[in-house]
């Protein structure tokens, strides 16, 4: 079935995109799976026209640019037989995507020929959660690069045997729905190559854990900014941490800041950045680990900055002109993962940073408007498009279309900002 590139590929206005991180064995972000959620998907499923959902994802990703949606990472996109045989598949940049063949696909001669042709054009393929020893799937294996296993569908004791069976295929193995550090460690030991899930955002509470000297220095600087200390006091504090001062000078001399003339002193750097930019940089810098390689591939950094920007943009949409409130939204979003960052309970993090009651209620209880926004973002990360999610959208007076616009703006900002931060800290 060939589809016109006009009608089925036109972006819909009643869905939002979800991108779920995929990590490699070194805990670096290497890809996102793109999912469609919202009314459009529900209607397509009801009509038995699942390809419309895939077409909408492809159309929207193509329309706004793949770099805006996933940055420098690859995009995994689920496709069924109809999508594979359709013309719109070629709207995708073959070097930026992995086509994930759904488990419902049957390996007909025509489909195998189609996949072979797309491979010759440079497309790569993953096989989604299919039993690889069945006659229906065997013909696909030579054409597949990655096999995905949803570990939530398996008992923990069944996973080793399956991993051993799949290893014979010599394909890369992706463990999906990895939700705890223990599950990750098991899959890592079994030889899986890639991991999808939010295990990296789950805090491992270490009794008696203390923040490092550099972390405390950054938090103290944030308190000085909150207390409206003058630039001389802030400069004096930064000078106590040579690496912090060096990174600040690198940051203001990156093209993203656009300082113009070369900035060579900390005093100049503080004037160029301004308080708002300085606060944001320090908040994000907490997630930057020295010697951790490309910071843009840190999943915790990406997720925290995305949450921060999403909440900021939501507040801007609902409360135009209230920049201070939007900044508080960014703070709530980026602090929401500090329990995982510091391996501490969130209550300890909140007491260490001495935040306002509004921020504390949002982080600890998901109370207040900011708490509702954070809870919504967490649901979106899990691709939850159930009635409760749509009720939360309605309560916040946000439409699917507004949410999608906010997501795309946040993704683009995070991709650019984090890449700039990586250059500034290396």
């Amino acid at each position: 079935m060939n589809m016109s590139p006009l009608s089925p590929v036109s972006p819909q206005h009643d869905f939002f995109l979800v991108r779920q991180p995929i990590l490699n064995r070194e805990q670096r972000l290497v890809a996102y799976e793109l999912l469609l959620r919202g009314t459009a998907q529900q209607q397509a499923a009801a009509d038995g026209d699942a390809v419309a959902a895939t077409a909408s994802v492809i159309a929207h990703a193509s329309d706004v640019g793949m770099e805006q949606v996933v940055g420098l990472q690859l995009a995994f996109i689920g496709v069924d037989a109809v999508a594979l045989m359709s013309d719109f598949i070629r709207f995708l940049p073959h070097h930026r995507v992995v086509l994930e063949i759904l488990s419902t696909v049957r390996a007909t001669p025509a489909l195998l020929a189609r996949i072979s042709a797309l491979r010759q054009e440079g497309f790569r393929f993953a096989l989604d959660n299919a039993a690889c020893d069945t006659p229906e799937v065997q013909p696909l294996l030579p054409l597949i690069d990655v096999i995905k296993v949803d570990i939530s569908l398996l008992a923990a004791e069944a996973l080793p045997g399956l991993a051993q069976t799949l290893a014979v295929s010599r394909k890369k193995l992706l463990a999906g729905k990895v939700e705890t550090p223990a599950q990750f460690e098991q899959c890592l030991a079994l030889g899986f190559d890639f991991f999808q899930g939010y295990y990296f955002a789950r805090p491992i509470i270490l009794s008696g854990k203390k923040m490092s000297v550099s972390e405390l220095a950054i938090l103290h600087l944030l308190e000085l900014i909150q207390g409206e200390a003058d630039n001389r006091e802030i400069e004096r504090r930064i000078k106590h941490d040579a690496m912090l001062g060096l990174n600040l000078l690198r940051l203001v001399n990156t093209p993203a800041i656009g300082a113009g003339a070369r900035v060579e002193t900390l005093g100049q750097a503080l004037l160029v950045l301004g308080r708002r930019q300085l606060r944001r940089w320090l908040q994000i810098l907490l997630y930057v680990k020295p010697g951790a390689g490309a910071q843009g591939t840190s999943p915790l950094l990406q997720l925290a900055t995305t949450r921060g920007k999403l909440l900021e943009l939501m507040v801007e949409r609902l409360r135009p002109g209230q920049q201070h409130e939007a900044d508080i939204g960014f703070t709530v979003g980026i602090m929401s993962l500090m329990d995982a960052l510091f391996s501490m309970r969130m209550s300890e993090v909140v007491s260490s940073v001495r935040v306002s009651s509004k921020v504390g209620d949002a982080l600890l209880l998901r109370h207040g408007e900011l708490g509702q926004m954070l809870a919504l973002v967490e649901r979106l990360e899990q691709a939850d498009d159930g009635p409760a999610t749509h009720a939360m959208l309605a309560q916040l007076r946000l439409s699917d279309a507004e949410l999608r616009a906010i997501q795309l703006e946040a993704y683009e900002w995070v991709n650019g900002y984090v890449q700039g931060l990586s250059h500034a800290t290396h």
Side-chain angles (χ1 to χ4, degrees):
M1 172 183 173
N2 287 328
M3 300 182 69
S4 161
L6 298 176
S7 120
V9 189
S10 299
Q12 303 295 315
H13 298 285
D14 49 359
F15 69 85
F16 48 88
L17 282 169
V18 176
R19 59 175 202 175
Q20 294 197 328
I22 296 174
L23 280 57
N24 65 10
R25 292 179 63 85
E26 287 72 45
Q27 300 299 279
R28 302 271 177 86
L29 182 66
V30 293
Y32 287 104
E33 180 171 11
L34 297 186
L35 304 167
L36 186 73
R37 289 296 182 266
T39 311
Q41 188 200 40
Q42 294 164 352
Q43 187 62 47
D47 294 342
D49 186 14
V51 71
T54 303
S56 294
V57 172
I58 292 172
H60 208 78
S62 302
D63 185 51
V64 301
M66 192 63 74
E67 287 76 13
Q68 181 179 349
V69 180
V70 297
L72 299 177
Q73 277 68 48
L74 291 171
F76 277 60
I77 297 177
V79 290
D80 63 4
V82 179
L84 283 167
M85 300 300 289
S86 300
D87 291 337
F88 66 76
I89 207 79
R90 288 192 171 91
F91 279 75
L92 291 168
H94 61 77
H95 61 292
R96 300 299 309 279
V97 303
V98 177
L99 299 178
E100 189 174 323
I101 301 173
L102 302 180
S103 57
T104 54
V105 171
R106 292 296 169 258
T108 64
L111 189 80
L112 293 172
R114 174 66 163 172
I115 295 173
S116 296
L118 290 172
R119 281 185 66 86
Q120 290 177 357
E121 295 176 23
F123 285 96
R124 284 165 286 184
F125 291 86
L127 188 59
D128 179 38
N129 206 43
C132 296
D133 56 350
T134 62
E136 295 86 357
V137 171
Q138 281 291 328
L140 284 171
L141 288 181
L143 304 173
I144 297 300
D145 303 283
V146 180
I147 297 174
K148 179 179 176 180
V149 177
D150 183 344
I151 69 167
S152 69
L153 302 177
L154 296 167
E157 58 271 17
L159 192 56
L162 178 61
Q164 188 174 11
T165 300
L166 294 177
V168 177
S169 69
R170 299 187 181 277
K171 306 296 180 181
K172 298 289 185 181
L173 301 182
L174 191 165
K177 299 288 182 66
V178 183
E179 297 302 329
T180 68
Q183 288 176 329
F184 164 70
E185 291 295 342
Q186 182 189 22
C187 293
L188 186 70
L190 292 174
F192 280 84
D193 303 282
F194 305 112
F195 311 86
Q196 181 179 2
Y198 287 93
Y199 62 92
F200 62 87
R202 304 286 184 259
I204 304 175
I205 306 303
L206 301 178
S207 179
K209 176 77 162 57
K210 303 294 183 184
M211 295 181 186
S212 69
V213 173
S214 62
E215 291 165 346
L216 287 170
I218 293 173
L219 290 173
H220 188 62
L221 278 168
L222 286 169
E223 289 179 353
L224 288 176
I225 295 169
Q226 183 70 23
E228 299 184 353
D230 62 35
N231 274 10
R232 284 172 297 180
E233 173 65 12
I234 293 173
E235 181 181 351
R236 196 157 44 241
R237 290 290 179 179
I238 293 175
K239 284 179 177 176
H240 289 163
D241 190 321
M243 188 56 66
L244 194 59
L246 176 62
N247 286 338
L248 175 59
L249 289 173
R250 284 176 175 171
L251 176 71
V252 296
N253 286 298
T254 59
I257 300 299
R262 178 85 182 167
V263 176
E264 296 181 337
T265 71
L266 290 177
Q268 286 178 307
L270 293 175
L271 290 174
V272 167
L273 269 183
R275 292 299 175 93
R276 184 167 180 255
Q277 277 276 65
L278 179 62
R279 181 192 296 112
R280 180 151 304 182
W281 176 67
L282 289 169
Q283 289 171 332
I284 294 174
L285 196 62
L286 284 169
Y287 289 85
V288 175
K289 297 298 183 184
Q295 296 296 344
T297 62
S298 162
L300 206 58
L301 172 63
Q302 285 271 350
L303 190 60
T305 49
T306 300
R307 284 187 181 185
K309 193 64 179 177
L310 284 170
L311 263 66
E312 177 189 10
L313 293 172
M314 286 181 188
V315 175
E316 287 181 355
R317 183 65 61 99
L318 298 176
R319 303 181 182 278
Q322 297 187 24
Q323 191 58 63
H324 178 68
E325 293 299 314
D327 288 342
I328 294 175
F330 186 90
T331 295
V332 169
I334 203 161
M335 282 191 65
S336 67
L337 288 165
M338 285 188 180
D339 52 351
L341 175 70
F342 296 138
S343 299
M344 298 168 64
R345 290 180 177 83
M346 182 59 76
S347 58
E348 295 178 279
V349 174
V350 168
S351 62
S352 298
V353 182
R354 295 199 293 272
V355 299
S356 68
S357 59
K358 181 190 296 186
V359 173
D361 286 348
L363 291 170
L364 294 172
L365 305 171
R366 302 299 186 264
H367 284 181
E369 188 175 65
L370 292 173
Q372 292 174 336
M373 291 178 180
L374 179 56
L376 173 62
V377 167
E378 289 171 325
R379 280 183 174 273
L380 297 178
E381 290 167 358
Q382 300 293 337
D384 184 340
D385 63 342
T389 300
H390 288 279
M392 293 169 77
L393 268 176
Q395 190 172 9
L396 289 168
R397 306 181 305 284
L398 287 171
S399 68
D400 284 359
E402 288 175 314
L403 176 61
R404 186 178 69 252
I406 287 170
Q407 286 178 302
L408 292 173
E409 185 176 346
Y411 295 159
E412 184 176 34
W413 182 88
V414 169
N415 293 334
Y417 199 96
V418 171
Q419 288 168 26
L421 183 71
S422 296
H423 294 314
T425 53
H426 286 84

